[in-house]
Amino acid sequence: MAQHLGVSIGTVSRALNDKFDVKPATRERVLKAAAELGYVPNQAGRSLRQGNTGLVGFVLETSSEGMMQGDLFFIRVFDGMQSVLSEYGLHLMVMMSPSSEKSDEYLQKIVGRRLADALVLSSTRRIDPRVDLLADQNIPFVMLGRSQTDRGQPWLDLDFEGMVTDAIERLHARGHRRIVLAVPRQELNLRYVMLDTYRTQLARHGLAFDEDLVIETAPGDNGGVALAHHIMEMEDRPSAVIFSDPIHPFGLYRGLTEMGLVPGKDLAILGIATRLATVLSPNLTHYRVRLFDLGRRVAQALIHRLPHLNTENPPPVIRERVPFTLVEGESDLPLE
């Protein structure tokens, strides 16, 4: 551009950055040429000068529960986050951790390149080395989920304890005694939160814990189909199932239909779902959370971690369990 205008590179740079020592006529020429040439400022160079990128990275594992299954969970969370970040001139960038690479190694690359001012971690594990990595590097971050690895980081998580407690209470009141708990893979903290609550609530209602009723499931629709077949083929058949994957009910309904069975009648189905569940028949009884509001709260927690934006000293550390709302349906009918 400098050669095109017959001025120095320094003059172009000062004009684009609105420096006072550039003549108005020259600045106008530079800005006009930039528009005509489709010039985009070099964000990397600008970031080095300003000391920040203006970006917030959301680290998302492509192998995570619900991912690539048509679930709207993360889309609504992202929308809520950006609605807050925009108020501070920040932009959300989704960083896809590939299934072919260890998530810790991928995060190390992000940290080394300083691609974002702050990060949000999802798919939180019971013991999560990513927490120590970011804390040791003094990188601001928030967790969408909890972990026993605690460095004082903020987190927001869905109230899985409240969901399981209410589900057991509801199913027990309807006469169900053999209740399956579908849990995700072993490293996720969600699994242990649900399982601990499940044990406690069974005992409170005088029901014996049966490890055969705790079934580890694959994510998504196919995982729900496999879960339905597993349950209905058990010798002492359970009458109800509680799940956390919002795509599982689609597979559960499909699996039961394949066997000539009726959801809600032959198996009570109760768990977490999104707006997509409204297409199911009979209507799914499920727990739902306002994902847009959750995203806004995650972004607000993150803003408190950015020194150049937060005015409170020391900054508040947000740690909250977000409650679910029960949506009544016909998939958890009383046991006949």
Side-chain angles (χ1 to χ4, degrees):
M1 185 189 300
Q3 185 177 6
H4 174 75
L5 295 172
V7 297
S8 69
I9 294 176
T11 297
V12 170
S13 177
R14 293 197 300 277
L16 291 172
N17 287 282
D18 201 26
K19 299 298 183 181
F20 69 91
D21 58 345
V22 179
K23 295 179 180 179
T26 302
R27 178 181 295 107
E28 185 177 348
R29 287 179 60 214
V30 170
L31 294 177
K32 182 179 179 181
E36 292 174 348
L37 297 172
Y39 172 77
V40 178
N42 187 309
Q43 182 61 44
R46 179 169 292 182
S47 298
L48 288 174
R49 293 190 299 272
Q50 296 178 348
N52 59 71
T53 67
L55 299 174
V56 169
F58 193 109
V59 183
L60 182 61
E61 296 183 10
T62 57
S63 59
S64 63
E65 272 63 15
M67 188 62 190
M68 308 305 288
Q69 294 285 343
D71 186 16
L72 298 178
F73 181 95
F74 287 111
I75 299 299
R76 292 295 293 158
V77 171
F78 295 157
D79 190 20
M81 287 185 64
Q82 188 58 63
S83 72
V84 172
L85 297 177
S86 295
E87 299 174 8
Y88 296 87
L90 299 173
H91 299 280
L92 180 65
M93 176 172 58
V94 180
M95 298 174 164
M96 305 291 285
S97 177
S99 57
S100 60
E101 183 177 3
K102 292 182 178 180
S103 59
D104 298 353
E105 295 175 356
Y106 177 78
L107 185 63
Q108 183 69 64
K109 292 178 182 178
I110 293 175
V111 170
R113 295 170 183 170
R114 298 285 170 170
L115 297 175
D117 298 330
L119 297 171
V120 179
L121 300 182
S122 60
S123 298
T124 53
R125 307 170 215 163
R126 192 165 180 80
I127 304 298
D128 203 323
R130 299 176 301 173
V131 172
D132 289 328
L133 170 62
L134 295 181
D136 290 343
Q137 294 289 329
N138 199 32
I139 294 177
F141 72 100
V142 171
M143 301 187 81
L144 183 53
R146 284 166 279 171
S147 174
Q148 288 191 348
T149 307
D150 191 346
R151 297 289 295 272
Q153 72 275 9
W155 54 259
L156 285 100
D157 199 4
L158 303 182
D159 185 14
F160 295 107
E161 293 97 329
M163 184 274 286
V164 174
T165 296
D166 186 78
I168 295 290
E169 180 75 34
R170 184 179 177 88
L171 292 169
H172 184 269
R174 285 163 169 72
H176 297 280
R177 298 296 181 264
R178 286 184 57 75
I179 303 169
V180 166
L181 179 71
V183 294
R185 64 183 190 267
Q186 293 187 8
E187 66 267 25
L188 294 180
N189 190 58
L190 160 61
R191 174 193 182 104
Y192 299 94
V193 171
M194 292 181 63
L195 183 54
D196 289 346
T197 307
Y198 175 73
R199 285 177 178 269
T200 299
Q201 294 307 313
L202 289 181
R204 188 169 76 87
H205 290 285
L207 302 177
F209 173 77
D210 183 348
E211 62 180 14
D212 290 337
L213 296 182
V214 178
I215 302 176
E216 181 174 322
T217 58
D221 179 69
N222 289 334
V225 172
L227 177 60
H229 282 272
H230 185 152
I231 293 172
M232 304 314 290
E233 292 168 5
M234 294 177 69
E235 183 175 350
D236 187 1
R237 181 187 293 181
S239 63
V241 57
I242 300 171
F243 59 89
S244 63
D245 185 328
I247 304 300
H248 270 163
F250 297 93
L252 284 165
Y253 272 51
R254 180 157 64 92
L256 291 173
T257 301
E258 290 174 351
M259 292 180 281
L261 302 173
V262 180
K265 180 179 179 181
D266 294 301
L267 179 69
I269 300 173
L270 182 59
I272 298 169
T274 63
R275 290 179 297 171
L276 291 173
T278 57
V279 304
L280 292 172
S281 180
N283 294 334
L284 178 71
T285 301
H286 64 280
Y287 298 93
R288 188 186 298 178
V289 69
R290 295 179 63 88
L291 298 175
F292 183 86
D293 293 344
L294 172 62
R296 285 187 59 85
R297 195 60 177 148
V298 170
Q300 290 163 355
L302 202 58
I303 293 297
H304 290 311
R305 311 306 292 174
L306 296 172
H308 64 290
L309 296 179
N310 179 66
T311 58
E312 300 181 58
N313 188 24
V317 178
I318 294 176
R319 291 183 162 189
E320 296 176 358
R321 290 191 332 208
V322 180
F324 289 97
T325 298
L326 176 67
V327 179
E328 296 272 2
E330 300 170 339
S331 66
D332 62 336
L333 298 177
L335 187 63
E336 294 181 356

